[in-house]
Amino acid sequence: MYSIDWLLHFKSQSPRNLGKTIPQMLRKSVEESPDTTLQAFKNEIGSYEYQSYKLVYRHILNLACALKDFGIKRGDLVGLISDNRREWFITDLALLCLGAADVPRGCDSMGTEIRFILSFTSCKVCFFENERQLIKVLDMIDEVPELKDAILFDSPSDLTMERAALLGIRVHKFIEFEDNGKKSTDAQRAEIEAEIDKTEGSDLATIIFTSGTTGTPKGVMLSHDNFMAQCEVIQDVLNTAKEGDMWLSILPVWHIMERVYTYFIIALKSGIAYSKPAVEFMKEDIAAINPHWIVGVPRLWDAFTQSWYREQKRKSGFSLFLFNIAMFWAKGFSWAHDRVCGWICRFSTGQKILDRIIGFIPFVLIAPIAGLGYLTVVRKLRRKFGTRIKACVCGGGSLQPENDLIFRALRIPLLDCYGMTETAPILSVRSPKKPMSGCVGKIYPSAEVKVVPEKDGVPLSSTPLGPGKRGLIFARGRQVMKGYYRRPDLTKKIIDNEGWINTGDLGMLSSNNEIAITGRAKDTIVLMGGENVEPQIIENAICRSIYVESCVAVGQDKKYIGALIVCRKDNILHFAKENNIYYDTYETLLETSEIQNLIREEIDRFTDEKNGFRTCEKVAKFIILPESFQIGKEINAKQIVMRHKIEKLYAREITKLFASKSNR
């Protein structure tokens, strides 16, 4: 078991006293930096407006007053269905000031997903970004019997309001609450301040559901203290961050990683500007904001690198030649630099010494060429992130090594981090001053991590393994969730009596408390975009087809879901006979366009939106295997798929799934 050594790792004095709760932390930052920019958001004409800590705090208190008059009180659960925008932030903090908790979701959520979440948590009031989100609920209002009031950030149409009224839902405009809040007296705002002081760190702050309705949704209950445990030491973790730094908000704000970084920004007395997770929008917003920090997921950084290379390919042959040469030497220099300086995660002293010896000669020889390439070509590419960029943060999945190397070549630290929603979420993160490659950073100061021996995802012992030993990752600390909402049975399965939570991930620790992730023991697939996908639900749906015997979904750290398919041989042969399909062997029959199209249609039919599947849960590519799965080989005695064995047995086929252009 390893826990962080403060003095050796971050040279920290002690956790800062930011208060017991998120609103108390905000109030402290307002007192210390009232005129510092907290929010930057686009107005109606598309230009950014800037608001200070003092002004935003006033908006929050005013809204809290209006919501209190509306009837929202301590302990209430309130839905919050919206993407990144100033109203989300103000609403979240206003609810927390009242001692209430929000139940968030984004605008890309399916109607079935939103309705389940609101119903499961018995929300009587819900904020919606626009009428499109409200309509998702109105379409099957019987599934949300307790919802009575909807508050819309964007003003709804009269038609939608009339329809909602007929269905028993009162629709309100957010701007009306803001207007009512402006009329609040000092005495009313003082009452809100008193409510802030009443809230304890153990009180519930939010419930975030980790999966959609196509799986078993689990509501992760996170307290104020879960978040504060991380906020108290963020200054030491992001040791290059300064008061007044601007952060570009891209990821869905309800997502746990973006959520916690929003609170980090408050702790750091920094500012936040809202953008969208699309390269085209981001380029414009980066130019306008000139941020110091950007938080993203692996897919976003991959999209950036791909856009750069596409942009260069459109240029003349000589320009493309110079670009490729400069990037080649820049990446080579970064590779050598990491080894000479010890910026690579290793698990033995001998290996570190060998790496430095191997990297020394390339480092010396390449340095002049790489320096010239940086000044003439690479630096221009770096400026696409603005002139003030300090670092980019990556989470929600494994960073691709090639993209990591490209950002190193750009001299932009890419801070890979690791965690899960249940740990609020960060368990480790790279240091901006020494971003070690080959790992997801050092253990976060507020966490403990141990790696234990396992077999097929089941821990064999609670005794920690030493550095360099692969096993199952467990974590403990203040940031571990209160539990799953209304599911104590599931909570007991993941958290033991000593407070250790089973992450479901496989990895190992270095002698410097760095974590290297080697795989996943649990079935949940995390795509490059940070989406959590439950493969069993997809597999069960596809196996409803009369032509499919078995299905295994794959795609960890990939852009999309792929599938290995075993067909029902008799039904396939019957289909071929009925449709006069000629073939030599069963294997060649499976390769015919008729059978490929049949399976494609079956997959799409059982995993479409009507069946409650999200876009990220759809199978983009598949490969048909000619032989059925065998007990002891691919499946166990209980006929349960052994995923780790399948990934090894069919490694070549899985590689093809994410390289081939077939069945897109």
Side-chain angles (χ1 to χ4, degrees), residues 49 109 117 167 306 361 463 496 499:
E49 291 187 13
S109 301
I117 290 171
L167 295 172
Q306 294 301 320
I361 294 178
T463 303
D496 65 20

PDB file of all heavy atoms in Angstrom, residues 49 109 117 167 306 361 463 496 499:
ATOM      1  N   GLU A  49     -18.339  37.685 -22.498  1.00  0.00           N
ATOM      2  CA  GLU A  49     -18.506  38.621 -21.399  1.00  0.00           C
ATOM      3  C   GLU A  49     -17.811  38.060 -20.164  1.00  0.00           C
ATOM      4  O   GLU A  49     -17.826  36.853 -19.936  1.00  0.00           O
ATOM      5  CB  GLU A  49     -19.993  38.856 -21.098  1.00  0.00           C
ATOM      6  CG  GLU A  49     -20.737  39.623 -22.174  1.00  0.00           C
ATOM      7  CD  GLU A  49     -22.155  39.967 -21.738  1.00  0.00           C
ATOM      8  OE1 GLU A  49     -22.463  39.835 -20.526  1.00  0.00           O
ATOM      9  OE2 GLU A  49     -22.956  40.363 -22.606  1.00  0.00           O
ATOM     10  N   SER A 109     -28.282  13.173 -23.602  1.00  0.00           N
ATOM     11  CA  SER A 109     -28.887  12.019 -22.946  1.00  0.00           C
ATOM     12  C   SER A 109     -30.199  11.637 -23.608  1.00  0.00           C
ATOM     13  O   SER A 109     -30.962  12.498 -24.070  1.00  0.00           O
ATOM     14  CB  SER A 109     -29.131  12.318 -21.465  1.00  0.00           C
ATOM     15  OG  SER A 109     -27.927  12.650 -20.805  1.00  0.00           O
ATOM     16  N   ILE A 117     -33.703   8.698 -14.383  1.00  0.00           N
ATOM     17  CA  ILE A 117     -32.942   9.392 -13.352  1.00  0.00           C
ATOM     18  C   ILE A 117     -33.851  10.279 -12.506  1.00  0.00           C
ATOM     19  O   ILE A 117     -33.774  10.277 -11.276  1.00  0.00           O
ATOM     20  CB  ILE A 117     -31.806  10.203 -13.993  1.00  0.00           C
ATOM     21  CG1 ILE A 117     -30.745   9.259 -14.552  1.00  0.00           C
ATOM     22  CG2 ILE A 117     -31.192  11.174 -12.997  1.00  0.00           C
ATOM     23  CD1 ILE A 117     -29.693   9.944 -15.391  1.00  0.00           C
ATOM     24  N   LEU A 167     -50.279  18.398 -19.296  1.00  0.00           N
ATOM     25  CA  LEU A 167     -49.741  17.171 -18.708  1.00  0.00           C
ATOM     26  C   LEU A 167     -49.428  17.330 -17.222  1.00  0.00           C
ATOM     27  O   LEU A 167     -48.871  16.429 -16.603  1.00  0.00           O
ATOM     28  CB  LEU A 167     -48.479  16.743 -19.461  1.00  0.00           C
ATOM     29  CG  LEU A 167     -48.686  16.327 -20.929  1.00  0.00           C
ATOM     30  CD1 LEU A 167     -47.347  16.112 -21.624  1.00  0.00           C
ATOM     31  CD2 LEU A 167     -49.541  15.070 -21.024  1.00  0.00           C
ATOM     32  N   GLN A 306      -5.138  15.056 -35.410  1.00  0.00           N
ATOM     33  CA  GLN A 306      -5.586  14.702 -36.747  1.00  0.00           C
ATOM     34  C   GLN A 306      -5.899  15.942 -37.577  1.00  0.00           C
ATOM     35  O   GLN A 306      -5.602  15.990 -38.781  1.00  0.00           O
ATOM     36  CB  GLN A 306      -6.822  13.800 -36.671  1.00  0.00           C
ATOM     37  CG  GLN A 306      -6.568  12.431 -36.063  1.00  0.00           C
ATOM     38  CD  GLN A 306      -5.521  11.641 -36.811  1.00  0.00           C
ATOM     39  OE1 GLN A 306      -5.473  11.645 -38.044  1.00  0.00           O
ATOM     40  NE2 GLN A 306      -4.654  10.964 -36.060  1.00  0.00           N
ATOM     41  N   ILE A 361      22.951   9.963 -26.062  1.00  0.00           N
ATOM     42  CA  ILE A 361      23.533  10.295 -27.370  1.00  0.00           C
ATOM     43  C   ILE A 361      22.480  10.895 -28.312  1.00  0.00           C
ATOM     44  O   ILE A 361      22.732  11.935 -28.929  1.00  0.00           O
ATOM     45  CB  ILE A 361      24.216   9.058 -27.987  1.00  0.00           C
ATOM     46  CG1 ILE A 361      25.426   8.653 -27.137  1.00  0.00           C
ATOM     47  CG2 ILE A 361      24.624   9.322 -29.426  1.00  0.00           C
ATOM     48  CD1 ILE A 361      26.138   7.411 -27.621  1.00  0.00           C
ATOM     49  N   THR A 463      -3.429  -8.298   0.708  1.00  0.00           N
ATOM     50  CA  THR A 463      -2.040  -7.909   0.925  1.00  0.00           C
ATOM     51  C   THR A 463      -1.497  -7.167  -0.296  1.00  0.00           C
ATOM     52  O   THR A 463      -1.537  -7.696  -1.411  1.00  0.00           O
ATOM     53  CB  THR A 463      -1.167  -9.135   1.197  1.00  0.00           C
ATOM     54  OG1 THR A 463      -1.681  -9.851   2.324  1.00  0.00           O
ATOM     55  CG2 THR A 463       0.269  -8.727   1.467  1.00  0.00           C
ATOM     56  N   ASP A 496     -15.252  -2.237   0.740  1.00  0.00           N
ATOM     57  CA  ASP A 496     -15.181  -3.203   1.836  1.00  0.00           C
ATOM     58  C   ASP A 496     -15.303  -2.508   3.193  1.00  0.00           C
ATOM     59  O   ASP A 496     -15.470  -1.290   3.281  1.00  0.00           O
ATOM     60  CB  ASP A 496     -13.900  -4.034   1.750  1.00  0.00           C
ATOM     61  CG  ASP A 496     -12.624  -3.215   1.955  1.00  0.00           C
ATOM     62  OD1 ASP A 496     -12.683  -2.102   2.530  1.00  0.00           O
ATOM     63  OD2 ASP A 496     -11.539  -3.697   1.543  1.00  0.00           O
ATOM     64  N   GLY A 499     -13.122   0.487   3.993  1.00  0.00           N
ATOM     65  CA  GLY A 499     -13.228   1.676   3.159  1.00  0.00           C
ATOM     66  C   GLY A 499     -12.510   1.604   1.834  1.00  0.00           C
ATOM     67  O   GLY A 499     -12.477   2.593   1.088  1.00  0.00           O
TER      68      GLY A 499
END
